Amino acid sequence: MTAPLFSNIAAVFSEEGALAQYLPGFRPRPGQQAMAHAIAETIRERRCLIAEAGTGTGKTFAYLVPALTGGGKVIISTGTKTLQDQLFERDLPLVRDALKLPLSVALLKGRSNYLCLHRIAQAQHEDLFPSKRDARYLKTIVSFARTTERGDRSELADIPDHAGIWPLVTSTRDNCLGSHCAHIDDCFVTKARKEALDADVVVINHHLFFADALLREEGLSELLPACNTVILDEAHQLPDIATVFFGKRIGSMQLLELARDAEIAVRTGASDLTELLARIDRLTLAVRQLRLAAGEFPGKLAASQLLSLPTFAEALQALTKILGEITSDLGTVAERSEDLSAVAARAQTLSHDLRQWCEVNENADANANDCTAEDYEGEIYEDEMPLIRWADLSPHGWQLHASPLSVAPIFRSFVENSARSWILTSATLSVAGQFAHYQHELGLESAQTARWDSPFDYEHQAVLYVPTGLPLPNSREHTDAVIDAALPVLAASRGRAFLLFTTHRALQHAHQRLQTVFAERRWDWPLLAQGEASRSELLERFRMEKNAVLLGAASFWEGVDVAGDALSLVVIDKLPFAPPDDPLLAARLEHLKKNGGEPFYDWQLPQAAISLKQGAGRLIRTETDYGVLMITDPRLVEKPYGKRLWRSLPPMRRTRELGEVVAFFEARN
């Protein structure tokens, strides 16, 4: 590692600096340089910085330059695997080479992203596939496994992410055989972790970051190496991801995968136990019966609501019983093979987690709301952390959760108890310029904060349009009114639009309406809808078509980058307030209220503002982009709190007149 170059940061970003000489088209940006200086100071003094950088600031280079020249080991965590790959394959090599730094860089993903040689051999032997297509995919995977260096499944672009073959050829923390595996010397996960230990810079994602944090908290071996600097990009995602990792969850998919792996292990190593095989079949049935017992309603429900249903309580008891019996039986034959030993350990863990969810004192959820701020002071361990029990029901599956009321104590302890520099950055961390809500969520009230506005000329590049005469968003006719209001704008923009919805129901209804309208008006713009293909496939087609209209829900509100003429209109149907009947949100709001807070203004409004900024951020991605942000929710201008929301958005020209929107497009088309 070279000596620190903090004093040369201004020169690096100057017109004649290293970046300008190495990167064609590089231009100095005051915000980028100021952000780099702030991060350099944070690294030098081993502090924590929360940094918001508007779109176009160039935050990636702003943190890479001081991080790479600051000395010591660096871990960079991103929000998605896509951004992780972009950092590793493009941005990091560019900066490293421009600065002529002899640094080694490693990419580390969660183990499910790497092929497992043991699981591949097992899949070949058992010949049990979800479909004939998956059987064909296996042949491709086997061939790839013989030649690949990294074993990263993302290199097999021809096999969809959702293909049923992936769980059969990758491992999880639960089913990995570890040092007992016959393929340990060639294990792709082991190789990736060794590279990470030896590297100067390690690129990970937030899920792996929290998986490592959880192992440390439980006193188990850690995944990630010690480091001097931690950079958490797309940091607005951290509170939600931390909530998942620091709670407990058990789901239908885990149990069905356990049943599948247990059946394979028993048939291979204990085929004489026919009664155990019969019980494994009954486990699969019990998992599905639990979903049927919950009723047709999909969504999130408090544990008390579900357990009040006699059919659900009975099905849960039956599932707990059969899982316990299987756990006991597997324990008696665990020593016959490594596979049996592994599934026995998994069964024991899942059985414990299921019983724990069932046996939690029914008053625990309510008591969590009675906790005061003092209860969160000091070091918090899982047994002391208030947990809220709830369930997430999909049409065909379920997950039972016990989630922490707050992740602030444990996250604060990570930061304060480590001699590291911490940089948390994103384009959407503040509300109307203030960071208080985000700091409170993560327990980082003492962290320094800084923000840099986007360098884009939003006043000339974009228009914020809120149509008049729209019904309130909770009305039955709202989605039809959204489409009616959007049609003349779509005509003016000639397609090239994202329509973002807060619910899948509204998305589906809008899709049906637009299919009819497109046929009637003979509009030949491609009409794409979430669910028709993977997100990456839909985005690739959207970019290629140049005039498509894409309908998306939550996953399209962030992490989507479509620069240029392909996207010139973003329509948001409603202000993105979280559903008030979400059991975890309801518990948090009740807790706030009991402790003298204002649930709406202290939690719901800031959360909505950050989500709205994410959706709006899809529109302008470069200095030459232009477009209209259309928000079809009258509350943005008719409610007193609306001003706080639109003041959190980029400074676009605002209008309620359709004529101004049409004229804006006519002047540019």
Side-chain angles (χ1 to χ4, degrees), residues 103 211 275 302 308 334 372 400 526 540 542 591 620:
L103 302 177
E275 179 58 29
S308 66
T372 63
L400 305 179
E540 183 62 27
F542 184 88
H591 170 73
I620 305 297

Side-chain angles (χ1 to χ4, degrees), residues 50-67:
I50 299 173
E52 181 179 271
T55 306
T57 304
K59 65 179 171 65
T60 303
F61 284 9
Y63 66 65
L64 283 179
V65 169

Side-chain angles (χ1 to χ4, degrees), residues 8 63 160 187 197 202 254 334 345 448 480 487 561 605:
N8 298 329
Y63 66 65
C187 175
L197 286 171
V202 184
Q254 288 171 283
Q448 290 194 308
D480 283 319
L487 289 175
D561 191 352
L605 191 60

Side-chain angles (χ1 to χ4, degrees), residues 185-206:
D185 292 337
D186 300 313
C187 175
F188 295 118
V189 174
T190 301
K191 288 179 181 178
R193 289 182 180 174
K194 186 179 184 305
E195 287 181 10
L197 286 171
D198 297 336
D200 298 306
V201 184
V202 184
V203 182
I204 63 172
N205 60 52
H206 297 335

Side-chain angles (χ1 to χ4, degrees), residues 115 119-121 123-125 127 129 131-147 156 158-159 165-166 168-169:
L115 297 180
R119 303 276 290 176
I120 290 173
Q124 286 179 287
H125 176 72
D127 199 26
F129 305 105
S131 69
K132 291 181 179 179
R133 180 175 296 177
D134 289 307
R136 293 195 297 270
Y137 287 151
L138 179 63
K139 294 180 180 179
T140 303
I141 291 169
V142 169
S143 176
F144 172 73
R146 294 193 186 107
T147 59
L156 285 169
D158 292 339
I159 302 180
I165 190 64
W166 288 124
L168 300 180
V169 296

